[in-house]
Amino acid sequence: DGDGVQDAGEQGIPGVTLELLNAQNQVIATRTTNPNGGYLFDGLADGTYVVRVVPATLPTGVTNTFGGAQQSATVTNASTDLSKDFGYQPAGTISGRVFHDADANGSQNGTEPGIPGAVVELVDSNGDVVDSTTTGPDGSYVFDHLPDGAYTVRVAPGTVPAGLNPTTPTSRPATIVGGADVTGVNFGYDAPTGAIGDRVWFDTDGDGVQDAGEQGIPGVT
């Protein structure tokens, strides 16, 4: 959410390289963040240091929200400082529309209106719902500031008007690579289709009831 606070559910960034510089501005150690985004420079002598992130090792398109490019730190009497955090807001988005698919062809044309008020959920690769939103007046929705990864977008059951039938899958995959936007993840619904019909028959006794043995009349249009 770009607020510079590590909120519950906000993922660490693995594979980022950090450098440790001494008071002479020399790189004396490097570390790579683990799957949880953690890193540690240990076994340090007392002194003043700088921790900095190597930008080329960050995911594409992220923006720093906490910590800047580097931070200074001081070790005194073998002290430990675990406050040197760096926050980054990802850039990827997934967007689309939920719409009335009047011709039931699974694609939205320029005249087919959106369906407002539908709840759309974003599911991560672990099967957990990580975000949800409600479509606007034109049926559009967007999930923004998403890290790279594979997602599933789905329409929550019971949140489209009653009686509408899906003309597209109600759950669709979307993958963000390199902070790129994924657009056009749309969901179509048409009106329910009815039917009228029954039987044309020889009403032998003329009582208006289809009695046993009274034959149907074939070939009638």
Side-chain angles (χ1 to χ4, degrees):
D1 56 12
D3 66 354
V5 177
Q6 295 183 51
D7 300 307
E10 291 184 332
Q11 304 171 13
I13 306 176
V16 177
T17 300
L18 295 103
E19 297 175 329
L20 183 69
L21 288 73
N22 61 16
Q24 290 72 45
N25 206 36
Q26 300 167 322
V27 177
I28 59 173
T30 62
R31 294 288 187 273
T32 301
T33 55
N34 63 26
N36 295 317
Y39 75 93
L40 182 69
F41 294 103
D42 55 2
L44 302 178
D46 285 3
T48 300
Y49 300 89
V50 168
V51 180
R52 72 183 181 191
V53 174
V54 178
T57 64
L58 289 166
T60 303
V62 296
T63 302
N64 182 263
T65 61
F66 183 87
Q70 63 183 39
Q71 298 183 52
S72 60
T74 301
V75 175
T76 305
N77 298 324
S79 61
T80 297
D81 184 351
L82 300 180
S83 68
K84 303 310 172 187
D85 300 327
F86 298 87
Y88 295 87
Q89 188 176 46
T93 65
I94 298 173
S95 62
R97 293 184 76 197
V98 180
F99 67 99
H100 284 284
D101 190 8
D103 55 11
N105 69 349
S107 298
Q108 185 180 23
N109 62 43
T111 61
E112 291 174 331
I115 300 175
V119 175
V120 183
E121 297 176 330
L122 183 69
V123 181
D124 66 13
S125 58
N126 297 318
D128 298 321
V129 176
V130 294
D131 201 357
S132 65
T133 188
T134 302
T135 56
D138 63 349
S140 65
Y141 72 90
V142 61
F143 297 106
D144 56 8
H145 301 303
L146 300 175
D148 284 5
Y151 299 88
T152 298
V153 184
R154 68 188 186 195
V155 178
T159 64
V160 297
L164 296 184
N165 299 314
T167 61
T168 64
T170 57
S171 178
R172 300 185 61 185
T175 301
I176 295 176
V177 178
D181 296 337
V182 179
T183 61
V185 185
N186 299 331
F187 301 91
Y189 291 82
D190 68 356
T193 55
I196 299 173
D198 201 10
R199 187 169 182 250
V200 179
W201 90 103
F202 285 111
D203 188 10
T204 305
D205 56 10
D207 64 354
V209 177
Q210 296 183 51
D211 300 310
E214 290 184 333
Q215 301 175 15
I217 305 175
V220 177
T221 299

